[in-house]
Amino acid sequence: MNRLTAGSAAAILVLFLASCSTSDATAPPEDGGTYESIDDLQEAVESAGLVCRELVLDTPPSKFSASSASCSEFTYLAIYTDDLHLEAQLDFWRPAGQRAVNVGKNWTVVSEDPQLIQKNLGGSVLHTGP
């Protein structure tokens, strides 16, 4: 009887630990989801591990975005109002040879580490240049 009780307790403990570990590691949305503001996107980028201490807003925002900003020379964030504006921005970048751009449902991030952004925020990586 002690074996059954100890075995049952061990099985319950394993199931409990497995359920705890999977709930902590929630995968990002495959499509990258949406962000309401450039500040929300900045917070997500920082949570992903990129440094974005000083967000410098573009005034006015870049041509196709609702809001855009840079964190550094190599990190650029933008939010778009709809798919048409997002696609127009991507069409603009394709011939310009932008190295890699993370793309979500209504956002883009240009950075030195597109794999880190994709791993943590989801979306896709568009390679448009070398």
Side-chain angles (χ1 to χ4, degrees):
M1 217 157 102
N2 287 342
R3 286 184 186 167
L4 182 59
T5 304
S8 296
I12 291 170
L13 181 61
V14 167
L15 290 173
F16 175 75
L17 291 175
S19 69
C20 287
S21 65
T22 56
S23 65
D24 291 342
T26 303
E30 190 174 318
D31 62 7
T34 60
Y35 292 94
E36 292 297 317
S37 71
I38 201 77
D39 293 325
D40 292 342
L41 182 57
Q42 175 194 12
E43 185 177 312
V45 165
E46 287 179 325
S47 293
L50 285 183
V51 177
C52 186
R53 289 189 185 108
E54 186 177 344
L55 189 67
V56 179
L57 293 174
D58 294 335
T59 309
S62 66
K63 183 176 181 178
F64 301 106
S65 68
S67 181
S68 60
S70 60
C71 297
S72 69
E73 181 180 353
F74 302 108
T75 306
Y76 184 79
L77 315 175
I79 301 286
Y80 303 89
T81 55
D82 55 45
D83 291 341
L84 293 174
H85 286 91
L86 175 60
E87 285 301 319
Q89 181 65 60
L90 298 177
D91 288 343
F92 174 77
W93 275 334
R94 281 182 182 99
Q98 190 72 28
R99 292 173 303 207
V101 180
N102 290 88
V103 181
K105 285 192 64 90
N106 75 329
W107 57 270
T108 57
V109 173
V110 177
S111 75
E112 294 278 301
D113 197 347
Q115 287 75 28
L116 178 70
I117 296 297
Q118 184 179 30
K119 176 184 172 191
N120 290 284
L121 302 185
S124 59
V125 179
L126 174 66
H127 295 278
T128 61

